[in-house]
Amino acid sequence: MKLLDGKKTSNDIKDEIAAEVAKMKANGEKVPHLAAVIVGNDGASLTYVGSKVRACERVGFESTLVQLPNTTSEVELLDKIEELNSNDDIDGFIIQLPLPPQIDTQKVLMAVDPSKDVDGFHPENFGKMALDMSTFIPATPFGILELLDRYGVETQGKHTVVIGRSHIVGRPMSILMGRKGFPGNSTVTLTHSHTKNITQITSQADIIITALGRPKFLKAEMIKDDAVVIDVGITRVPDENAKRGYVITGDVDFENVSKKTSYITPVPGGVGPMTIAMLLKNTLLARERRR
Ligand code: NAP
């Protein structure tokens, strides 16, 4: 079993981005500027946004955090997005999800200027991704592709099973693994909560990507020997022995599954840090496109 080490790989990517930023500075060019908008005080969302802002500092980007109260109306948020769209100094921005119930998430994501949509959630960018056109690939799927690429994991002709069909992970992942090229050229099965006999499907898979948010869902008896397992799940499971009162748990029963795999991502330290690194990469791309 070999670990797909997202912590180390994401640090390598951040070093590469920092070197690019240093070159920009040396040439007297403007450095990339990422803004993040958060509505409300959800603990996990604040943690994620904080990590994104710190990552910007680490690579030399400028960053702006826009914190809005939980009572923010849809119109107020749309006004803020318009402001960010027309602010020439900002190269890219993200809206941290989930949003409070009074706000229509789809409407908000549609309002982001596609050229600044570094999360790759706008339908224009999603459509381009599906058509193999150059675009912003959503950060989590992009991070998984990068891990497979950097570790030279063969995907061509393999059977990839994706568990979960969210718009931000499972669905784009299924498209990307089936596209022409590397990583890709896989035969993909996309599964969800209505899938019957999931063990029958996962036990035929060469590559399994779990993105469902159910701790330790994937068990050793559900996979074949030497499978590649990518665990996207992040769930806070209460644990009174832990310092914070919870432990971060993935969708995979790592202890038992890892014994049968050829490659596997740990949680934490797998897909999570890659997501942030790829958000930075998309922001660098946004700056280069605007230059
Ligand atoms: P989500 O919107 O929470 O949706 C979960 C998906 O899993 C749905 O498509 C659902 O099917 C499917 N599902 C639920 N139970 C299932 C079952 N028993 N068998 C098969 N499929 C099942 O998904 P998400 O936003 O992608 O989040 C998934 C997990 O990834 C969460 O733990 C989240 O925290 C984590 N995540 C991590 C990162 C990262 O950076 N590492 C980024 C994003 C998300 P239906 O469509 O039928 O309801």
Side-chain angles (χ1 to χ4, degrees):
M1 178 274 287
K2 197 164 179 194
L3 267 193
L4 295 170
D5 186 341
K7 197 167 174 198
K8 183 196 169 294
T9 310
S10 66
N11 280 329
D12 292 347
I13 294 168
K14 285 182 200 161
D15 288 345
E16 292 159 18
I17 295 173
E20 284 296 317
V21 174
K23 265 192 239 161
M24 287 175 160
K25 273 190 185 153
N27 293 336
E29 291 172 32
K30 176 187 164 342
V31 300
H33 186 167
L34 175 72
V37 181
I38 180 162
V39 185
N41 310 307
D42 176 67
S45 295
L46 283 166
T47 308
Y48 295 143
V49 160
S51 317
K52 290 168 187 174
V53 170
R54 276 196 304 282
C56 284
E57 285 163 13
R58 150 104 152 73
V59 298
F61 285 5
E62 278 184 58
S63 64
T64 299
L65 179 59
V66 181
Q67 253 183 301
L68 301 172
N70 205 32
T71 50
T72 304
S73 69
E74 190 175 283
V75 171
E76 285 167 331
L77 181 56
L78 290 172
D79 283 348
K80 178 49 77 181
I81 290 172
E82 202 35 59
E83 210 180 295
L84 294 168
N85 282 341
S86 52
N87 183 342
D88 244 3
D89 194 53
I90 298 210
D91 297 299
F93 65 97
I94 58 160
I95 313 293
Q96 186 66 43
L97 303 179
L99 292 167
Q102 72 274 17
I103 298 175
D104 179 344
T105 302
Q106 206 54 47
K107 206 166 166 183
V108 164
L109 296 180
M110 295 269 288
V112 176
D113 178 341
S115 72
K116 294 190 177 189
D117 170 40
V118 285
D119 257 340
F121 293 165
H122 191 284
E124 183 177 316
N125 288 323
F126 200 96
K128 282 182 172 173
M129 177 200 67
L131 294 170
D132 292 338
M133 294 166 73
S134 166
T135 186
F136 298 117
I137 296 175
T140 303
F142 195 9
I144 294 171
L145 293 183
E146 195 72 18
L147 266 183
L148 294 171
D149 186 5
R150 291 192 183 222
Y151 279 85
V153 177
E154 184 60 86
T155 59
Q156 179 157 313
K158 303 292 181 188
H159 180 200
T160 296
V161 171
V162 181
I163 311 181
R165 57 178 165 183
S166 72
H167 295 168
I168 60 169
V169 187
R171 188 80 57 89
M173 206 60 237
S174 68
I175 295 170
L176 292 162
M177 291 300 283
R179 71 181 178 169
K180 278 188 182 170
F182 174 75
N185 285 341
S186 248
T187 304
V188 180
T189 304
L190 179 59
T191 67
H192 44 77
S193 68
H194 299 280
T195 300
K196 294 203 168 76
N197 302 325
I198 199 158
T199 298
Q200 206 180 329
I201 298 168
T202 54
S203 57
Q204 290 172 24
D206 302 302
I207 301 170
I208 303 174
I209 300 169
T210 59
L212 68 161
R214 293 189 52 181
K216 301 189 181 181
F217 174 85
L218 191 77
K219 308 279 187 219
E221 53 274 22
M222 294 170 74
I223 72 162
K224 69 176 183 185
D225 285 339
D226 293 328
V228 175
V229 172
I230 310 282
D231 188 355
V232 182
I234 299 179
T235 307
R236 290 180 173 195
V237 176
D239 182 344
E240 54 191 31
N241 297 320
K243 209 165 77 184
R244 293 181 174 151
Y246 64 84
V247 284
I248 299 290
T249 308
D251 291 337
V252 174
D253 177 9
F254 183 89
E255 194 187 335
N256 297 307
V257 168
S258 60
K259 291 176 189 149
K260 284 178 83 176
T261 54
S262 53
Y263 291 94
I264 187 166
T265 57
V267 174
V271 176
M274 289 301 291
T275 297
I276 294 183
M278 301 324 277
L279 174 67
L280 298 176
K281 196 147 182 164
N282 274 343
T283 308
L284 180 65
L285 192 65
R287 172 88 288 268
E288 282 166 354
R289 285 189 183 155
R290 291 164 64 75
R291 188 158 55 187

